[in-house]
Amino acid sequence: MPSIADALRSTLGAAQLDVAQRLASACEELGCQAYIVGGTVRDALLGLPAADLDVTVVSPPDDFPNRVAAFLGARLIMASQFGTAKLEKEGSTLDLVMARSERYRSPGALPDVTAGSLDDDLTRRDFAINAMAASLDAAKWGELVDPHGGRRDLELGLVRALHERSFQDDATRILRAARYASRFGFRLDAETAKQIERSGGYLVSISPDRFKHELERVFEESRVSSAIELLSEWEMLGLTGGDFVYDETSWSGFAEACAVGSSERRLVGWGVFSLCFQTVRSSGIALRWKLDHDASMVSMDALKLRERLRVSDLNNLAPSGQVALLENYSPYAVLAFQLSTRDGTTNDALDEYRTKLTSIRPDLDGHDVIALGVPRGPRVGEALQMLKNARLDRTVESRNDETLLVRQFVTKLDQE
Ligand code: CTP
């Protein structure tokens, strides 16, 4: 493994490195110290590009956010009572966190936060691999602070919690353990595995918002399938009011079909997740985790579609019938259901629907059918629907065919 100084130089971009160094000078001037911490240090040691720059400031003076902003010639966008601040300079933002100590009064509750030393700040963290810091001081630039053996764990490929109450304090860390284990191909340290086994019950004390947030971060992992498999093996997802069955095909298909970071990824994720519950009511997942409107629609539609297709075989319907049925459901739910179906012919029909049928339109529009004699009003909609169905079922293939069909429609109307 490279030295952290070299690793940071090669994994942080020039702009990030510049910001970090200027911040360190500002801190020196203001009599405090800045450290790169958490995921940034972990990823640098693994040789992975830094997603963002996490900096912690130890012993900041009063009014630090304003003073550091003035020193850097940056604008202070936000400063919170929890010791976090956001600065903006020339379009880039920098998040600052003051070193802190945390105390959890009860499982699942948010911690009491007070200013703390660097050691307090590292000790409050979830896993040893996330509990390292690298000094930004010019005199000791890149010096690694690793009181919990995080670097050794990186070498051994271990996810290890820092203390036995870690998951009790914050059960979302169970989801985080699955994320890191799958992302880096690491295993759980034996003691941590036991702690997780004992702590599943604390997941119910987590607010729906926090659970949802961490689960959506699981959806964003490129190895989402193995993260969900781990959580399912640890029985962390079935505790929540339904029987969760992990399905490799759905989750691998999901990882391939929906790009990381797209809104589709989040929404289809909720659909695939909902369909892993075998007996839940259609609103069960949406209510349990207080999903937002869009995710609720996908979750409920996916479950309703599964019910609907249990009783009716999609393949017995003409294309127009398939469209009439499926267009009542969110397209994200249709994709989620397609990913979860094991029936080859249903899969083909859903694929055809999503990739071809949804874009089929007649050539003629409302003006055209009126010009051909259809009276203005609801009959125009009927004529257009008739044309669309005829296109879908391939009983018309050209503009001429469509014109003929509309003429027949008008003749029939005249005879009524
Ligand atoms: N952390 C924690 N317990 C949590 C959430 C976060 O101890 N429940 C700590 C970890 O030390 C983590 C840091 O806060 O490194 C920042 O959290 P986050 O941004 O979620 O982690 P990153 O490592 O930056 O991002 P990622 O995990 O996706 O790489």
Side-chain angles (χ1 to χ4, degrees):
M1 212 166 259
S3 93
I4 180 68
D6 292 345
L8 286 170
R9 251 181 232 110
S10 62
T11 58
L12 288 179
Q16 277 179 320
L17 209 55
D18 180 54
V19 169
Q21 279 165 342
R22 281 192 298 139
L23 175 70
S25 318
C27 285
E28 227 170 311
E29 196 68 22
L30 298 171
C32 53
Q33 303 85 43
Y35 292 84
I36 296 182
V37 285
T40 315
V41 176
R42 177 200 66 214
D43 290 348
L45 285 170
L46 289 171
L48 300 172
D52 41 30
L53 182 62
D54 292 331
V55 174
T56 286
V57 180
V58 182
S59 318
D62 284 348
D63 202 22
F64 176 73
N66 277 309
R67 291 173 69 186
V68 77
F71 190 95
L72 293 173
R75 193 166 64 88
L76 179 64
I77 306 176
M78 177 285 286
S80 84
Q81 70 203 76
F82 302 110
T84 59
K86 194 188 256 308
L87 308 183
E88 188 264 339
K89 184 163 185 200
E90 290 155 13
S92 329
T93 56
L94 172 68
D95 290 306
L96 292 178
V97 183
M98 314 315 150
R100 63 204 223 186
S101 165
E102 286 178 350
R103 197 166 70 90
Y104 290 84
R105 280 171 191 263
S106 60
L110 289 174
D112 294 334
V113 175
T114 47
S117 64
L118 179 65
D119 199 44
D120 292 332
D121 194 84
L122 297 177
T123 303
R124 75 178 169 86
R125 291 171 184 261
D126 49 3
F127 305 110
I129 55 171
N130 284 341
M132 291 179 275
S135 174
L136 276 170
D137 269 13
K140 39 182 187 161
W141 152 248
E143 199 174 283
L144 184 68
V145 183
D146 180 17
H148 302 285
R151 188 182 174 123
R152 185 179 141 270
D153 284 3
L154 285 180
E155 279 160 2
L156 295 174
L158 275 187
V159 176
R160 179 169 54 89
L162 295 190
H163 57 89
E164 61 180 16
R165 288 174 53 91
S166 183
F167 301 104
Q168 181 176 333
D169 286 345
D170 179 356
T172 63
R173 290 175 171 167
I174 297 173
L175 282 85
R176 296 172 63 86
R179 271 202 304 123
Y180 295 121
S182 58
R183 187 193 299 173
F184 302 127
F186 284 8
R187 65 198 157 79
L188 291 187
D189 143 82
E191 192 48 43
T192 301
K194 281 189 210 145
Q195 289 160 6
I196 288 186
E197 210 175 295
R198 286 198 297 269
S199 308
Y202 295 113
L203 264 183
V204 287
S205 59
I206 293 296
S207 75
D209 270 351
R210 297 191 57 223
F211 183 89
K212 199 164 48 185
H213 175 71
E214 281 298 341
L215 189 65
E216 289 183 352
R217 293 184 75 181
V218 172
F219 295 163
E220 287 299 324
E221 292 290 325
S222 53
R223 297 194 189 152
V224 49
S225 186
S226 72
I228 297 280
E229 183 177 18
L230 284 176
L231 289 167
S232 168
E233 259 172 42
W234 302 342
E235 297 182 6
M236 292 301 148
L237 301 169
L239 289 169
T240 42
D243 48 336
F244 185 93
V245 177
Y246 165 74
D247 174 45
E248 210 271 328
T249 316
S250 328
W251 287 105
S252 311
F254 163 70
E256 246 177 69
C258 305
V260 167
S262 62
S263 55
E264 184 183 54
R265 179 98 171 183
R266 184 181 86 84
L267 293 174
V268 179
W270 280 109
V272 174
F273 180 73
S274 303
L275 289 165
C276 287
F277 289 83
Q278 304 304 300
T279 55
V280 72
R281 284 181 26 224
S282 66
S283 57
I285 306 298
L287 291 176
R288 170 66 185 83
W289 283 294
K290 298 197 170 70
L291 300 190
D292 59 80
H293 174 266
D294 291 357
S296 293
M297 292 310 291
V298 176
S299 169
M300 292 198 291
D301 275 3
L303 293 168
K304 283 184 199 159
L305 187 56
R306 176 169 71 189
E307 276 315 300
R308 180 74 174 79
L309 293 183
R310 265 184 195 148
V311 289
S312 121
D313 182 359
L314 208 50
N315 298 291
N316 289 337
L317 298 172
S320 59
Q322 295 179 350
V323 170
L325 188 156
L326 293 171
E327 67 189 3
N328 295 313
Y329 299 90
S330 145
Y332 301 116
V334 175
L335 173 54
F337 183 71
Q338 185 192 339
L339 293 168
S340 78
T341 184
R342 279 152 197 257
D343 179 69
T345 51
T346 303
N347 180 70
D348 292 347
L350 291 168
D351 201 50
E352 167 104 352
Y353 165 75
R354 289 193 316 105
T355 57
K356 297 205 186 101
L357 301 187
T358 45
S359 51
I360 289 181
R361 308 260 177 284
D363 276 4
L364 301 184
D365 64 14
H367 300 292
D368 297 324
V369 299
I370 291 169
L372 286 166
V374 176
R376 287 175 194 280
R379 296 295 189 196
V380 175
E382 276 174 40
L384 291 175
Q385 185 64 50
M386 171 192 74
L387 287 176
K388 184 174 148 194
N389 289 348
R391 273 284 179 185
L392 285 164
D393 298 338
R394 301 212 175 143
T395 53
V396 296
E397 306 225 306
S398 65
R399 195 177 171 90
N400 268 348
D401 291 351
E402 288 185 16
T403 306
L404 251 148
L405 194 61
V406 175
R407 290 217 167 99
Q408 286 166 11
F409 180 75
V410 172
T411 312
K412 236 165 99 196
L413 285 183
D414 291 344
Q415 288 164 357
E416 273 175 11

Coordinates of all heavy atoms in Angstrom, one line a residue, residues 285-338:
I285 N -44.9 -1.4 1.5 CA -43.5 -0.9 1.5 C -43.6 0.6 1.5 O -42.9 1.3 2.3 CB -42.8 -1.3 0.2 CG1 -42.8 -2.9 0.1 CG2 -41.3 -0.8 0.2 CD1 -42.2 -3.6 1.2
A286 N -44.5 1.2 0.7 CA -44.6 2.7 0.7 C -44.9 3.3 2.1 O -44.4 4.3 2.5 CB -45.6 3.1 -0.4
L287 N -45.8 2.6 2.8 CA -46.2 3.1 4.1 C -45.1 2.9 5.1 O -44.9 3.7 5.9 CB -47.5 2.4 4.5 CG -48.8 2.8 3.8 CD1 -50.0 2.0 4.2 CD2 -49.1 4.3 3.9
R288 N -44.5 1.7 5.1 CA -43.5 1.3 6.1 C -42.4 2.3 6.1 O -41.9 2.7 7.1 CB -43.0 -0.1 5.8 CG -41.8 -0.6 6.6 CD -42.1 -0.7 8.1 NE -41.0 -1.0 8.9 CZ -40.1 0.0 9.4 NH1 -40.3 1.2 9.1 NH2 -39.1 -0.4 10.1
W289 N -41.9 2.7 4.9 CA -40.8 3.6 4.9 C -41.1 5.0 4.4 O -40.3 5.8 4.0 CB -39.7 3.0 4.0 CG -39.0 1.9 4.8 CD1 -38.2 2.1 5.9 CD2 -39.0 0.5 4.5 NE1 -37.8 0.9 6.3 CE2 -38.2 -0.1 5.5 CE3 -39.6 -0.3 3.5 CZ2 -38.0 -1.5 5.6 CZ3 -39.4 -1.6 3.6 CH2 -38.6 -2.2 4.6
K290 N -42.5 5.3 4.5 CA -42.9 6.7 4.2 C -42.2 7.2 2.9 O -41.6 8.2 2.9 CB -42.6 7.7 5.3 CG -43.3 7.3 6.6 CD -43.3 8.5 7.5 CE -44.2 8.4 8.7 NZ -43.8 7.5 9.8
L291 N -42.4 6.4 1.8 CA -41.7 6.7 0.6 C -42.3 8.0 0.0 O -43.5 8.3 0.2 CB -41.9 5.6 -0.5 CG -41.3 4.2 -0.1 CD1 -41.3 3.3 -1.3 CD2 -39.9 4.4 0.5
D292 N -41.5 8.8 -0.8 CA -42.0 10.0 -1.4 C -43.0 9.5 -2.5 O -43.1 8.3 -2.8 CB -40.9 10.8 -2.0 CG -40.1 10.0 -3.0 OD1 -40.5 9.8 -4.2 OD2 -39.0 9.4 -2.6
H293 N -43.7 10.5 -3.1 CA -44.7 10.2 -4.1 C -44.3 9.3 -5.2 O -44.9 8.2 -5.5 CB -45.3 11.5 -4.6 CG -46.3 11.3 -5.7 ND1 -46.0 11.3 -7.0 CD2 -47.6 11.0 -5.7 CE1 -47.0 11.0 -7.8 NE2 -48.1 10.8 -7.0
D294 N -43.2 9.6 -5.8 CA -42.7 8.9 -7.0 C -42.3 7.4 -6.7 O -42.7 6.5 -7.3 CB -41.5 9.6 -7.7 CG -41.9 10.9 -8.3 OD1 -43.1 11.2 -8.3 OD2 -41.0 11.6 -8.8
A295 N -41.6 7.3 -5.6 CA -41.1 6.0 -5.2 C -42.3 5.1 -4.7 O -42.4 3.9 -5.0 CB -40.1 6.0 -4.0
S296 N -43.3 5.8 -4.0 CA -44.5 5.1 -3.6 C -45.3 4.5 -4.8 O -45.7 3.4 -4.8 CB -45.5 6.0 -2.9 OG -45.0 6.4 -1.7
M297 N -45.4 5.3 -5.9 CA -46.1 4.9 -7.1 C -45.4 3.7 -7.7 O -46.1 2.7 -8.1 CB -46.1 6.0 -8.2 CG -46.9 7.2 -7.8 SD -48.6 6.8 -7.3 CE -49.3 6.2 -8.8
V298 N -44.1 3.7 -7.7 CA -43.4 2.6 -8.3 C -43.6 1.3 -7.5 O -43.9 0.2 -8.0 CB -41.9 2.9 -8.5 CG1 -41.1 1.7 -9.0 CG2 -41.7 4.1 -9.4
S299 N -43.4 1.5 -6.1 CA -43.5 0.3 -5.3 C -44.9 -0.3 -5.4 O -45.1 -1.5 -5.6 CB -43.3 0.8 -3.8 OG -43.6 -0.2 -2.9
M300 N -45.9 0.6 -5.3 CA -47.3 0.1 -5.3 C -47.7 -0.5 -6.7 O -48.3 -1.6 -6.8 CB -48.3 1.2 -4.9 CG -48.2 1.6 -3.5 SD -49.6 2.5 -2.8 CE -49.5 4.0 -3.7
D301 N -47.3 0.2 -7.7 CA -47.6 -0.3 -9.1 C -46.9 -1.7 -9.3 O -47.4 -2.6 -9.9 CB -47.1 0.7 -10.1 CG -48.2 1.7 -10.4 OD1 -49.3 1.7 -9.7 OD2 -48.0 2.6 -11.3
A302 N -45.6 -1.8 -8.8 CA -44.9 -3.1 -9.1 C -45.7 -4.2 -8.4 O -45.9 -5.3 -9.0 CB -43.5 -3.0 -8.5
L303 N -46.1 -4.0 -7.2 CA -46.8 -5.0 -6.4 C -48.2 -5.3 -7.0 O -48.7 -6.5 -7.1 CB -46.9 -4.7 -4.9 CG -45.6 -4.6 -4.2 CD1 -45.7 -4.0 -2.9 CD2 -45.0 -6.0 -4.1
K304 N -48.9 -4.2 -7.5 CA -50.2 -4.4 -8.1 C -50.1 -5.2 -9.5 O -50.9 -6.0 -9.8 CB -50.9 -3.1 -8.4 CG -51.5 -2.4 -7.2 CD -52.2 -1.2 -7.6 CE -52.4 -0.2 -6.5 NZ -52.6 1.2 -6.9
L305 N -49.0 -4.8 -10.2 CA -48.8 -5.5 -11.5 C -48.5 -7.0 -11.3 O -49.0 -7.8 -12.0 CB -47.6 -4.8 -12.2 CG -47.3 -5.2 -13.6 CD1 -48.5 -5.0 -14.5 CD2 -46.1 -4.4 -14.2
R306 N -47.8 -7.3 -10.3 CA -47.5 -8.7 -10.0 C -48.9 -9.4 -9.7 O -49.1 -10.5 -10.2 CB -46.6 -8.9 -8.8 CG -46.4 -10.3 -8.4 CD -45.3 -10.5 -7.3 NE -45.7 -10.0 -6.0 CZ -44.8 -9.8 -5.0 NH1 -43.5 -10.1 -5.2 NH2 -45.2 -9.4 -3.9
E307 N -49.8 -8.8 -8.9 CA -51.1 -9.4 -8.7 C -51.9 -9.6 -10.0 O -52.4 -10.6 -10.2 CB -51.9 -8.5 -7.7 CG -51.6 -8.7 -6.3 CD -51.5 -10.2 -5.9 OE1 -52.5 -10.9 -6.1 OE2 -50.4 -10.7 -5.4
R308 N -51.9 -8.5 -10.7 CA -52.7 -8.5 -12.0 C -52.2 -9.6 -12.9 O -53.0 -10.3 -13.5 CB -52.5 -7.1 -12.6 CG -53.2 -6.9 -13.9 CD -54.7 -6.7 -13.6 NE -55.5 -6.4 -14.8 CZ -55.8 -7.3 -15.8 NH1 -55.5 -8.5 -15.6 NH2 -56.5 -6.9 -16.8
L309 N -50.9 -9.7 -13.1 CA -50.4 -10.7 -14.0 C -50.4 -12.1 -13.5 O -50.2 -13.1 -14.2 CB -49.0 -10.3 -14.5 CG -49.0 -9.0 -15.3 CD1 -47.6 -8.7 -15.8 CD2 -49.9 -9.1 -16.5
R310 N -50.7 -12.3 -12.2 CA -50.9 -13.6 -11.7 C -52.2 -14.2 -12.3 O -52.3 -15.4 -12.5 CB -51.0 -13.6 -10.2 CG -49.7 -13.9 -9.5 CD -49.9 -14.0 -8.0 NE -48.5 -13.9 -7.5 CZ -48.2 -13.3 -6.3 NH1 -49.1 -12.8 -5.6 NH2 -46.9 -13.3 -5.9
V311 N -53.2 -13.3 -12.5 CA -54.5 -13.8 -13.0 C -54.7 -13.7 -14.5 O -55.5 -14.4 -15.1 CB -55.7 -13.1 -12.3 CG1 -55.8 -13.5 -10.8 CG2 -55.6 -11.6 -12.4
S312 N -53.9 -12.8 -15.1 CA -54.1 -12.8 -16.6 C -52.7 -12.9 -17.3 O -51.7 -12.3 -16.9 CB -54.7 -11.4 -16.9 OG -53.9 -10.7 -17.8
D313 N -52.8 -13.7 -18.3 CA -51.5 -14.0 -19.0 C -51.3 -12.9 -20.1 O -52.2 -12.8 -21.0 CB -51.6 -15.4 -19.6 CG -50.4 -15.8 -20.3 OD1 -49.4 -14.9 -20.4 OD2 -50.3 -16.9 -20.9
L314 N -50.3 -12.2 -20.0 CA -50.0 -11.1 -20.9 C -49.9 -11.7 -22.4 O -50.3 -11.0 -23.3 CB -48.6 -10.5 -20.6 CG -48.3 -9.1 -20.9 CD1 -49.4 -8.2 -20.4 CD2 -47.0 -8.7 -20.2
N315 N -49.4 -12.9 -22.5 CA -49.2 -13.4 -23.9 C -50.5 -13.8 -24.6 O -50.5 -14.0 -25.8 CB -48.3 -14.6 -23.8 CG -46.9 -14.1 -23.3 OD1 -46.2 -13.4 -24.0 ND2 -46.6 -14.5 -22.1
N316 N -51.6 -13.9 -23.8 CA -52.9 -14.1 -24.5 C -53.5 -12.9 -25.1 O -54.6 -12.9 -25.7 CB -53.9 -14.8 -23.5 CG -53.5 -16.2 -23.2 OD1 -52.8 -16.8 -24.0 ND2 -53.9 -16.7 -22.0
L317 N -52.9 -11.7 -24.8 CA -53.5 -10.5 -25.2 C -52.8 -10.0 -26.5 O -51.6 -10.2 -26.7 CB -53.3 -9.4 -24.2 CG -53.9 -9.6 -22.8 CD1 -53.5 -8.5 -21.8 CD2 -55.5 -9.5 -23.0
A318 N -53.6 -9.4 -27.4 CA -53.0 -8.7 -28.6 C -52.1 -7.6 -28.1 O -52.3 -7.1 -27.0 CB -54.1 -8.2 -29.5
P319 N -51.2 -7.1 -28.9 CA -50.4 -6.0 -28.5 C -51.2 -4.8 -27.9 O -50.8 -4.2 -26.9 CB -49.6 -5.6 -29.7 CG -49.5 -6.9 -30.5 CD -50.8 -7.6 -30.2
S320 N -52.3 -4.5 -28.6 CA -53.1 -3.3 -28.1 C -53.7 -3.6 -26.7 O -53.8 -2.7 -25.9 CB -54.3 -3.0 -29.1 OG -55.1 -4.2 -29.2
G321 N -54.0 -4.9 -26.4 CA -54.5 -5.3 -25.1 C -53.4 -5.2 -24.1 O -53.6 -4.7 -22.9
Q322 N -52.2 -5.6 -24.5 CA -51.0 -5.5 -23.6 C -50.8 -4.0 -23.2 O -50.6 -3.7 -22.0 CB -49.8 -6.1 -24.2 CG -49.9 -7.5 -24.5 CD -48.6 -8.1 -25.2 OE1 -47.8 -7.4 -25.6 NE2 -48.6 -9.4 -25.3
V323 N -50.8 -3.1 -24.2 CA -50.6 -1.7 -24.0 C -51.7 -1.2 -23.1 O -51.4 -0.5 -22.1 CB -50.5 -0.9 -25.3 CG1 -50.5 0.6 -25.0 CG2 -49.2 -1.3 -26.0
A324 N -52.9 -1.5 -23.3 CA -54.0 -1.0 -22.5 C -53.8 -1.4 -21.1 O -54.1 -0.7 -20.1 CB -55.4 -1.5 -23.1
L325 N -53.3 -2.6 -20.9 CA -53.1 -3.1 -19.5 C -51.9 -2.4 -18.8 O -52.0 -1.8 -17.8 CB -52.9 -4.6 -19.5 CG -52.9 -5.4 -18.2 CD1 -53.3 -6.8 -18.4 CD2 -51.6 -5.3 -17.5
L326 N -50.8 -2.4 -19.6 CA -49.6 -2.0 -18.9 C -49.4 -0.5 -18.8 O -48.7 0.0 -17.9 CB -48.4 -2.5 -19.7 CG -48.2 -4.1 -19.7 CD1 -47.2 -4.5 -20.6 CD2 -47.9 -4.5 -18.3
E327 N -50.1 0.3 -19.6 CA -49.9 1.7 -19.5 C -50.6 2.3 -18.3 O -50.4 3.5 -18.0 CB -50.3 2.5 -20.8 CG -51.7 2.5 -21.2 CD -51.9 3.1 -22.6 OE1 -50.9 3.5 -23.3 OE2 -53.1 3.2 -23.0
N328 N -51.3 1.5 -17.5 CA -51.9 2.0 -16.3 C -50.8 2.0 -15.2 O -51.1 2.4 -14.0 CB -53.0 1.0 -15.8 CG -54.2 1.1 -16.7 OD1 -54.6 2.2 -17.1 ND2 -54.7 0.0 -17.2
Y329 N -49.7 1.4 -15.4 CA -48.6 1.3 -14.4 C -47.4 2.1 -14.7 O -47.1 2.4 -15.9 CB -48.2 -0.2 -14.3 CG -49.3 -1.1 -13.9 CD1 -50.1 -1.7 -14.9 CD2 -49.7 -1.4 -12.6 CE1 -51.2 -2.5 -14.6 CE2 -50.7 -2.2 -12.2 CZ -51.5 -2.8 -13.2 OH -52.5 -3.6 -12.9
S330 N -46.8 2.6 -13.7 CA -45.5 3.4 -13.9 C -44.5 2.6 -14.7 O -44.3 1.4 -14.5 CB -44.9 3.7 -12.5 OG -43.5 3.7 -12.6
P331 N -43.9 3.2 -15.7 CA -42.9 2.5 -16.5 C -41.8 2.0 -15.7 O -41.2 0.9 -16.0 CB -42.4 3.6 -17.5 CG -43.0 4.9 -17.1 CD -44.1 4.6 -16.1
Y332 N -41.4 2.6 -14.6 CA -40.4 2.1 -13.7 C -40.8 0.8 -13.0 O -40.0 -0.1 -12.8 CB -40.0 3.1 -12.6 CG -39.5 4.4 -13.2 CD1 -40.3 5.6 -13.0 CD2 -38.4 4.5 -13.9 CE1 -39.8 6.8 -13.5 CE2 -37.9 5.7 -14.5 CZ -38.7 6.9 -14.2 OH -38.2 8.1 -14.7
A333 N -42.1 0.7 -12.7 CA -42.7 -0.5 -12.1 C -42.7 -1.6 -13.1 O -42.4 -2.8 -12.8 CB -44.1 -0.2 -11.5
V334 N -43.0 -1.3 -14.4 CA -43.0 -2.3 -15.4 C -41.6 -2.9 -15.6 O -41.4 -4.1 -15.6 CB -43.5 -1.8 -16.8 CG1 -43.4 -2.8 -17.8 CG2 -45.0 -1.3 -16.6
L335 N -40.6 -2.0 -15.6 CA -39.2 -2.5 -15.7 C -38.8 -3.3 -14.5 O -38.2 -4.4 -14.6 CB -38.2 -1.3 -15.8 CG -36.7 -1.6 -15.8 CD1 -36.4 -2.7 -16.9 CD2 -35.9 -0.4 -16.0
A336 N -39.2 -2.9 -13.3 CA -38.9 -3.6 -12.1 C -39.5 -5.0 -12.1 O -38.9 -6.0 -11.8 CB -39.4 -2.9 -10.8
F337 N -40.8 -5.1 -12.6 CA -41.4 -6.4 -12.7 C -40.8 -7.2 -13.8 O -40.6 -8.4 -13.5 CB -42.9 -6.2 -13.0 CG -43.7 -7.5 -13.0 CD1 -43.9 -8.2 -11.8 CD2 -44.0 -8.1 -14.2 CE1 -44.5 -9.4 -11.8 CE2 -44.6 -9.3 -14.2 CZ -44.9 -10.0 -13.0
Q338 N -40.4 -6.6 -14.9 CA -39.7 -7.4 -15.9 C -38.4 -8.0 -15.3 O -38.1 -9.2 -15.6 CB -39.4 -6.5 -17.1 CG -38.8 -7.4 -18.2 CD -38.2 -6.5 -19.3 OE1 -38.5 -5.3 -19.5 NE2 -37.3 -7.1 -20.1

